[in-house]
Amino acid sequence: MEVGFSTPLLEMFQRGEVPREVRLIAAQGELALRAHERIALLVLLAGDADAEVASAADATLRALPDAEVAGWLARSDVPERIRAFFAARGVEPASGAGEDGPSGEPGGDAEDDNGGSEGSEDGKEQQSLVQRIAAMTVAQRVVRAMKGTREERAILIRDPNKLVSIGVLSSPKLTETEVESIAKMANVSEDVLRIIGRTRAWMKTYTVAVSLAKNPKTPVATSMNILPRLMDKDLRMISIDRNVPEVLRIAARRKLLAE
């Protein structure tokens, strides 16, 4: 069913591009997603053609405490179709709740990003981490993309499987600093850079926007949309940068001349 809310990850599920193993894990609530994505995904999977997936999603939804769900439903950014879905189950938005903050997000189970090997691995240990990730199944990599450490995300964002790399962008643990670093990477897929460019919350940060514009891997349409907000010093750098597409260099020069 349509859930009235869309993200790149949800779109993949809606288009039927996600293998059954990953759908089942998601239906069991094992993906540490942001509240909007998590609830919308469970609602979507409750109508999955696979009976086991649909049953697991339904069970996960019913296990969510009504009080928490009611508080979350009262948020102004919750789609009406999701409210209607829960209304049919007897759960209505709570009165006097609904602040659009991080609180009131049901079922959040993101792990602490401290500990483990983060910040302490040498080259040999880093190589071992890469090897361990390479040995994982797609489903395991998707879970790590959302629940893993910063170092795991830095590896998984470059995964050739689109579901895995988009999973990193859906992780509630992903920081703005990480997004800025990803925006500079020339070894990630264009889809990853395009998603960053379409995400308003990230694009509000100037350093993220300018990093995308200067990245030769960024789709031209995305870079061109960023140009109008760039400072002259960054436009000058782009106007002479042989690594970016020629059309972008020319556009940067024209903008400088017009000012």
Side-chain angles (χ1 to χ4, degrees):
M1 65 172 286
E2 292 293 330
V3 293
F5 174 66
S6 182
T7 69
L9 183 69
L10 278 173
E11 288 168 5
M12 291 191 71
F13 277 87
Q14 290 170 334
R15 291 194 300 264
E17 298 175 359
V18 179
R20 180 183 184 279
E21 182 184 7
V22 177
R23 299 202 318 277
L24 185 56
I25 288 174
Q28 293 167 341
E30 293 300 317
L31 298 186
L33 295 165
R34 299 179 183 93
H36 252 46
E37 259 184 325
R38 184 170 189 262
I39 297 297
L41 181 54
L42 287 170
V43 171
L44 176 68
L45 292 174
D48 196 275
D50 186 296
E52 185 179 1
V53 172
S55 177
D58 180 73
T60 301
L61 285 166
R62 294 186 185 282
L64 297 176
D66 286 352
E68 289 185 24
V69 174
W72 180 81
L73 288 173
R75 290 169 53 114
S76 63
D77 52 0
V78 174
E80 286 302 322
R81 290 188 181 182
I82 292 183
R83 286 200 182 100
F85 175 88
F86 282 101
R89 295 178 169 226
V91 183
E92 298 284 351
S95 58
E99 294 185 2
D100 294 340
S103 61
E105 298 188 350
D109 58 356
E111 298 170 357
D112 187 356
D113 213 14
N114 297 321
S117 58
E118 187 167 1
S120 65
E121 291 187 339
D122 57 20
K124 185 175 180 180
E125 290 171 330
Q126 177 68 11
Q127 183 179 9
S128 177
L129 177 60
V130 172
Q131 291 171 342
R132 289 200 302 273
I133 288 175
M136 293 178 181
T137 65
V138 171
Q140 289 170 333
R141 298 203 305 278
V142 171
V143 171
R144 294 321 300 162
M146 298 178 191
K147 289 187 172 183
T149 65
R150 184 187 300 260
E151 288 181 344
E152 288 173 318
R153 291 193 292 275
I155 295 168
L156 292 166
I157 194 65
R158 302 191 296 268
D159 197 284
N161 188 299
K162 183 179 177 180
L163 181 60
V164 176
S165 58
I166 289 180
V168 172
L169 297 182
S170 291
S171 171
K173 299 168 68 176
L174 188 69
T175 66
E176 193 173 277
T177 300
E178 288 177 88
V179 174
E180 182 181 343
S181 296
I182 293 168
K184 296 176 182 177
M185 293 180 179
N187 58 350
V188 295
S189 73
E190 290 187 4
D191 285 324
V192 165
L193 300 174
R194 188 179 292 109
I195 289 168
I196 293 175
R198 283 167 31 194
T199 305
R200 292 182 182 180
W202 293 334
M203 292 302 290
K204 288 178 182 178
T205 303
Y206 183 80
T207 51
V208 172
V210 74
S211 294
L212 271 186
K214 292 178 179 179
N215 189 336
K217 189 73 175 289
T218 300
V220 172
T222 299
S223 300
M224 293 291 280
N225 286 336
I226 297 171
L227 279 188
R229 62 178 291 195
L230 296 187
M231 299 177 184
D232 285 355
K233 64 173 184 175
D234 293 312
L235 285 172
R236 290 192 188 93
M237 291 181 66
I238 290 174
S239 71
I240 59 174
D241 188 347
R242 294 283 180 180
N243 291 318
V244 302
E246 183 179 7
V247 65
L248 190 63
R249 294 201 305 272
I250 293 172
R253 289 176 201 148
R254 287 176 177 171
K255 190 172 187 307
L256 285 168
L257 291 172
E259 294 179 351

